Amino acid sequence: MSDDLASRLEMLLVLRWLDQGAEAHDPVRLALDELAVELGLDGGRQTLLELMRALGALEGRGAISVSWIAEPSAGRTAEVHLSRELRADARRLFGRG
């Protein structure tokens, strides 16, 4: 897994969080297939594993916390909470607080 993928994923998560209102305790919910499409990746099994590794790397770094939920129409969905530090950086960089 490349650092580039983890960095791109982190930015996508921040942008999603900002787009949905930037509320402190609101998670970003997304399916791995959806992530692959938004990052311009194929949706194959290897890509999905790489996305899971990238989520794990971000979680290991303390930037996010991830839990998995089952949604009837979307299958397994990641529920991602951004760290307090990442939220503060995003607000500062994008003028939201």
Side-chain angles (χ1 to χ4, degrees):
M1 188 256 329
S2 72
D3 289 336
D4 178 55
L5 179 57
S7 294
R8 291 173 54 210
L9 178 56
E10 182 176 10
M11 285 307 301
L12 176 62
L13 292 169
V14 166
L15 291 173
R16 280 283 197 93
W17 178 73
L18 290 167
D19 285 348
Q20 70 185 33
E23 294 298 323
H25 299 291
D26 285 351
V28 176
R29 289 190 179 111
L30 30 80
L32 289 179
D33 290 336
E34 184 181 326
L35 272 178
V37 169
E38 287 196 46
L39 291 169
L41 306 170
D42 69 58
R45 176 178 230 125
Q46 186 63 34
T47 297
L48 299 180
L49 291 172
E50 288 178 20
L51 286 171
M52 290 179 76
R53 278 189 219 108
L55 285 167
L58 291 172
E59 190 169 34
R61 205 177 76 207
I64 64 172
S65 64
V66 180
S67 57
W68 295 93
I69 57 175
E71 293 190 340
S73 61
R76 299 295 275 169
T77 300
E79 186 173 81
V80 180
H81 289 269
L82 305 183
S83 70
R84 187 182 75 222
E85 295 82 10
L86 188 54
R87 292 190 313 263
D89 287 347
R91 284 188 185 115
R92 188 178 67 253
L93 287 170
F94 295 99
R96 301 242 180 139

